[in-house]
C-alpha cells in the first residue's frame, strides 16, 4: 500500500538518508521539508529554538498542502529537550498545522523500543553530555532504562553529518553494553541508513538509529507498517517480541 510520510528536517546534514530509505521501501514516499535552524548547535537553548512551534508550523503547513498521510518532526534533540509533556505539545501543534497524524523522532524511539519489546538500552550519542542527559530522562519517562551512555561531544549537526561509515561503526561498537537489549543512536544528523545491517552485525543486537526510526514511525502512524528486510530488526519485525511495551506517548501524538 502506497503512503506518503512527510519529514520536517532541521537544516542540512544527513537528509540524504531519506532517499536511501525510499529506495528500500517500495510504495513509500518520504518528502523532506527543511526547517529553519537559527543556530546549528547541540545546546539546549539552541535546540529549543529549532523546535519552536513557529518554525515547525511553517514546514508542517507545507507538508499538509501536499496531502501527506503523516508528518514526523525528524529531530531527536529538538524534541526531547522539551521534556515529555513539551514534546507531546510540540507534536500536537505539528498535527494541527499539517492536518495529519504527527509524531517526532524522540517518540519514535519509544515506540520502536516497544515494537521490539526492549526495556534496557545503551545510548551512543553524538551530542555533548548535557544534551544527552535529556534523552535519558525522556526514555526513563517511558520506562526504558539506559544501562550505558556515551557522548561524542559534537556541537554542530554539520560536523555530525561528516562522520564516515567506519567512524559510525566504531562508535556504536565501542559503546554497546552487555546488559543492553539494543543500542540507540539518537541523532538525525548522523548518516546510518546505508549501514544498518553492518551495525547490527557488529554488535549482535538491534540498533535503532534516528532516521531509521523516524521513517518507521511515519509508517506506524499511517497503519501501513509491514515487515520489510534490509533496514534492520525494527523494520523486519511484525510486532512486539518480548516484554510488555513501555508507556507510550500521550494521545496527542496518535492518529
Amino acid at each position: 500500500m502506497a503512503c506518503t510520510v512527510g519529514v520536517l528536517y532541521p537544516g542540512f546534514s544527513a537528509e540524504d538518508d531519506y532517499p536511501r530509505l525510499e529506495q528500500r521501501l517500495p510504495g513509500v514516499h518520504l518528502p523532506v521539508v527543511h526547517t529553519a535552524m537559527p543556530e546549528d548547535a547541540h545546546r539546549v537553548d539552541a535546540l529549543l529554538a529549532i523546535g519552536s512551534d513557529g518554525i515547525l508550523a511553517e514546514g508542517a503547513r507545507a507538508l499538509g498542502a501536499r496531502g501527506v498521510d503523516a508528518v514526523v518532526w525528524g529531530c531527536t534533540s529538538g524534541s526531547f529537550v522539551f521534556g515529555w509533556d513539551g514534546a507531546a505539545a510540540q507534536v500536537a501543534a505539528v498535527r494541527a498545522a499539517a492536518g495529519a497524524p504527527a509524531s517526532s523522532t524522540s517518540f519514535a524511539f519509544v515506540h520502536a523500543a516497544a515494537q521490539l519489546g526492549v526495556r534496557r538500552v545503551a545510548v551512543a550519542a553524538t551530542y555533548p553530555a548535557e544534551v544527552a542527559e535529556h534523552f535519558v530522562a525522556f526514555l526513563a519517562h517511558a520506562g526504558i532504562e539506559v544501562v550505558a551512555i556515551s557522548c561524542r561531544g559534537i556541537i554542530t549537526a554539520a560536523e555530525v553529518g561528516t562522520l564516515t561509515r567506519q567512524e559510525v561503526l566504531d562508535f556504536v561498537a565501542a559503546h554497546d553494553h552487555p546488559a543492553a537489549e539494543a543500542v540507540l543512536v539518537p541523532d538525525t544528523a548522523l548518516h546510518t541508513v546505508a549501514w544498518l545491517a553492518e551495525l547490527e552485525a557488529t554488535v549482535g543486537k538491534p540498533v535503532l538509529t534516528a532516521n531509521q526510526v523516524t521513517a518507521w514511525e511515519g509508517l506506524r502512524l499511517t497503519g501501513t507498517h509491514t515487515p520489510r528486510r534490509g533496514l534492520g530488526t525494527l523494520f523486519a519485525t511484525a510486532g512486539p517480541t518480548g516484554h510488555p511495551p513501555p508507556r507510550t506517548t500521550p494521545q496527542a501524538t496518535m492518529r
Side-chain angles (χ1 to χ4, degrees):
M1 178 179 176
C3 71
T4 300
V5 176
V7 179
L8 295 173
Y9 190 92
F12 296 82
S13 183
E15 69 278 2
D16 48 336
D17 264 2
Y18 292 96
R20 291 189 182 98
L21 283 159
E22 281 190 335
Q23 292 171 3
R24 294 163 171 80
L25 295 169
V28 176
H29 303 289
L30 299 168
V32 174
V33 166
H34 295 273
T35 58
M37 183 182 285
E39 182 182 2
D40 182 7
H42 286 137
R43 203 178 61 242
V44 172
D45 63 321
L47 294 168
L48 291 171
I50 288 168
S52 64
D53 287 348
I55 285 178
L56 297 188
E58 182 178 357
R61 286 192 292 267
L63 286 171
R66 300 187 188 185
V68 297
D69 298 301
V71 176
V72 185
W73 166 221
C75 183
T76 328
S77 56
S79 47
F80 66 65
V81 293
F82 287 83
W84 186 271
D85 292 340
Q90 180 188 62
V91 165
V94 169
R95 183 179 63 175
S103 189
S104 69
T105 307
S106 291
F107 286 126
F109 274 109
V110 171
H111 293 144
Q115 174 86 354
L116 299 180
V118 165
R119 300 298 292 269
R120 295 184 303 279
V121 303
V123 172
T126 50
Y127 320 123
E130 64 177 351
V131 171
E133 288 169 1
H134 289 268
F135 187 49
V136 173
F138 191 92
L139 294 174
H141 191 99
I144 301 171
E145 179 187 359
V146 176
V147 298
I149 183 166
S150 55
C151 304
R152 196 173 174 110
I154 299 177
I155 297 297
T156 68
E159 182 180 350
V160 171
T162 67
L163 295 182
T164 66
R165 166 187 165 276
Q166 196 59 54
E167 286 175 314
V168 173
L169 291 173
D170 290 347
F171 177 60
V172 173
H175 300 296
D176 184 21
H177 188 279
E181 299 165 310
V183 181
L184 275 53
V185 188
D187 195 341
T188 58
L190 186 69
H191 291 96
T192 60
V193 167
W195 313 316
L196 289 169
E198 289 181 273
L199 286 167
E200 293 198 341
T202 298
V203 300
K205 65 184 65 172
V207 175
L208 300 177
T209 74
N211 291 323
Q212 173 206 36
V213 302
T214 296
W216 176 86
E217 178 77 342
L219 296 180
R220 186 193 70 80
L221 285 172
T222 64
T224 59
H225 170 64
T226 56
R228 303 168 189 259
R229 297 192 179 277
L231 291 171
T233 302
L234 174 64
F235 271 90
T237 305
T241 59
H243 307 296
R247 181 168 46 161
T248 189
T249 63
Q251 187 64 30
T253 68
M254 301 299 187
R255 189 177 182 125

